[in-house]
Amino acid sequence: MSHNADSEYWVPDSETYNQLQKLKKFVDFVVCLPDAYELHKQNADKIKELIETINQPETFKDWRVCLDITDWNVQVGNGTGIYWKKWSVYFELGKLEIESTDEILDEQKFSETYQNYYGCIYFEKDIKGERIYLDTDIDEFIADAMNYESYLTEGLKY
């Protein structure tokens, strides 16, 4: 999707823009993991370009970068605990979301989502609520993702 420069989108101030540039480090980290697909590696430079030009609404395109760890056994109901831990950044429909969550299966086999980190920036010009919400610094989100191996267990490893 392409938009003209004087569109319905907000342009981030320099402080916000500089904060968002940190996300390129997350992209680089994810695509350098041993399990990253060749297609993901090929798309990384384009995504980093889109982050670089996030202050230019005419360049907006939807994209997503995720690091997921799963425990297939718990996910299908054999056992309890964390079955899916993920770190994701995505830009869709003029909204950037940064989140880290744990999906947990309890003893009654109910699934619950625990949010470890959440950030959201609305790029639409006219919004009703808060434009920028980051519950912690982007650096902390990236550092936690880069420390993913500390969350690995016998089951939570895929």
Side-chain angles (χ1 to χ4, degrees):
M1 76 181 168
S2 207
H3 307 282
N4 62 27
D6 63 357
S7 70
E8 67 277 13
Y9 291 98
W10 166 79
V11 175
D13 56 81
S14 60
E15 182 182 336
T16 303
Y17 174 82
N18 290 334
Q19 285 291 315
L20 296 177
Q21 296 312 299
K22 297 174 180 182
L23 295 172
K24 293 184 285 190
K25 182 177 180 180
F26 178 69
V27 174
D28 285 336
F29 173 71
V30 171
V31 299
C32 287
L33 290 169
D35 292 337
Y37 295 114
E38 192 56 41
L39 178 62
H40 298 156
K41 294 175 183 180
Q42 293 168 11
N43 288 336
D45 286 337
K46 182 60 182 165
I47 290 172
K48 289 190 303 182
E49 278 178 38
L50 292 170
I51 294 169
E52 187 78 31
T53 60
I54 204 155
N55 59 348
Q56 300 168 26
E58 64 274 11
T59 67
F60 286 179
K61 287 190 166 95
D62 293 353
W63 55 268
R64 174 183 292 255
V65 178
C66 302
L67 168 58
D68 295 4
I69 307 169
T70 56
D71 182 327
W72 301 116
N73 242 354
V74 174
Q75 191 166 8
V76 296
N78 299 326
T80 60
I82 297 175
Y83 65 86
W84 188 9
K85 185 163 188 63
K86 62 183 172 180
W87 297 264
S88 63
V89 178
Y90 51 96
F91 187 93
E92 293 176 336
L93 304 171
K95 180 171 78 170
L96 177 77
E97 289 191 79
I98 306 165
E99 65 181 339
S100 171
T101 58
D102 294 346
E103 300 282 336
I104 298 173
L105 197 65
D106 67 17
E107 289 77 18
Q108 289 81 36
K109 305 298 182 195
F110 288 112
S111 179
E112 293 189 51
T113 301
Y114 290 93
Q115 210 156 44
N116 303 312
Y117 177 91
Y118 185 74
C120 183
I121 299 176
Y122 293 93
F123 285 82
E124 292 177 356
K125 196 172 274 186
D126 298 320
I127 61 168
K128 295 192 185 322
E130 194 174 356
R131 177 166 305 284
I132 301 171
Y133 174 79
L134 299 172
D135 66 3
T136 190
D137 190 271
I138 290 173
D139 285 327
E140 291 182 37
F141 165 82
I142 295 170
D144 190 51
M146 292 177 82
N147 191 36
Y148 79 95
E149 289 177 323
S150 71
Y151 297 104
L152 298 179
T153 64
E154 189 177 321
L156 188 68
K157 63 183 178 189
Y158 300 101

